[in-house]
Amino acid sequence: NTTRAMICLHEKEVDFELVPVNVFAAEHKQPPFLSKNPFGFIPVLEDGDLTLFESRAITAYVAEKFKETEPDLIRHKDAKEAALVKVWTEVESHYYEPAVSPIIYEYFVAPFQGKEPDKSVIDTNVEKLKTVLDVYEAKLSSTKYLAGDFYSLADLSHVSETHYLMQTPCASMINELPHVKAWWEDISSRPAFNKVVGGMSFGQNH
């Protein structure tokens, strides 16, 4: 979620300071951090007197604040395109992420905690993800990106989680779908993502 926000900042070439939070020491559950996000999750964005949490809200704010800077991630000059960006950003939040997140958890977090990945959890979510990816394959057979023939927040929202998914045996689910595979190769090769991908190994503080 932190890298989702960072990718957006890099897309806009905005200078920012990354402040590490030691989640393994539960720093995000302590009063100083809870004063920034009462739910105790990262990331938090501080911009002057504004404090925001929820990574998708942060990316939407950055995209709006710097909307005149290319790329236009929210399509602010075209109401129909902007609406489609919102639709597919919601799809990521409500359909894609809920299926992908448990798979990532079982393959990365469970072993980190000394547990075996739960095959039943993985299987259940693989089925959910298959349904979602079939929709994506159909959509991406008619447009280059999810909201149209332009890169937007809708695509950007997927990058961090898909990066981890592609390091699991479930990577084949993406690779078996030609349009989804081409889309992933496109959005994961952008310079903004390449600036953060080096720090995306599990077990780091941010």
Side-chain angles (χ1 to χ4, degrees):
N1 290 334
T2 303
T3 49
R4 179 185 283 119
M6 289 170 64
I7 292 165
C8 189
L9 288 159
H10 282 306
E11 285 285 356
K12 296 296 187 177
E13 298 185 354
V14 179
D15 287 331
F16 64 92
E17 179 192 1
L18 179 66
V19 181
V21 175
N22 190 338
V23 294
F24 296 107
E27 195 179 325
H28 56 313
K29 304 297 184 186
Q30 303 304 315
F33 188 85
L34 291 172
S35 69
K36 304 178 194 300
N37 179 356
F39 294 102
F41 291 108
I42 56 172
V44 166
L45 175 76
E46 293 181 311
D47 183 15
D49 61 356
L50 176 69
T51 300
L52 291 178
F53 51 91
E54 292 299 323
S55 60
R56 293 172 188 83
I58 291 169
T59 58
Y61 169 73
V62 172
E64 175 68 33
K65 181 171 181 176
F66 300 100
K67 64 187 176 189
E68 301 299 338
T69 306
E70 290 294 330
D72 177 6
L73 298 170
I74 54 174
R75 310 302 285 184
H76 72 282
K77 292 174 181 167
D78 187 314
K80 289 182 180 177
E81 289 182 354
L84 289 167
V85 172
K86 288 191 175 77
V87 166
W88 287 96
T89 305
E90 290 285 321
V91 169
E92 183 273 326
S93 175
H94 295 289
Y95 298 93
Y96 188 83
E97 193 271 347
V100 170
S101 189
I103 295 170
I104 294 170
Y105 182 90
E106 292 304 326
Y107 280 118
F108 285 103
V109 184
F112 193 80
Q113 297 175 335
K115 293 184 280 193
E116 286 290 315
D118 187 327
K119 190 173 185 302
S120 66
V121 172
I122 293 168
D123 290 348
T124 298
N125 286 286
V126 161
E127 284 305 307
K128 288 182 192 171
L129 183 58
K130 185 178 186 310
T131 303
V132 176
L133 288 175
D134 285 345
V135 173
Y136 280 38
E137 179 68 9
K139 181 69 179 74
L140 292 164
S141 68
S142 61
T143 57
K144 187 176 180 183
Y145 299 101
L146 286 172
D149 289 321
F150 50 84
Y151 180 78
S152 74
L153 273 192
D155 309 291
L156 187 155
S157 292
H158 291 76
V159 176
S160 298
E161 283 169 329
T162 310
H163 169 72
Y164 289 118
L165 181 72
M166 296 305 286
Q167 296 175 54
T168 75
C170 297
S172 58
M173 297 178 70
I174 301 275
N175 291 328
E176 286 164 2
L177 299 170
H179 295 99
V180 174
K181 183 173 188 277
W183 167 75
W184 168 243
E185 288 173 351
D186 182 312
I187 66 174
S188 62
S189 63
R190 293 176 69 85
F193 178 57
N194 289 329
K195 287 178 180 169
V196 302
V197 69
M200 291 180 70
S201 59
F202 245 80
Q204 292 202 338
N205 292 347
H206 41 266

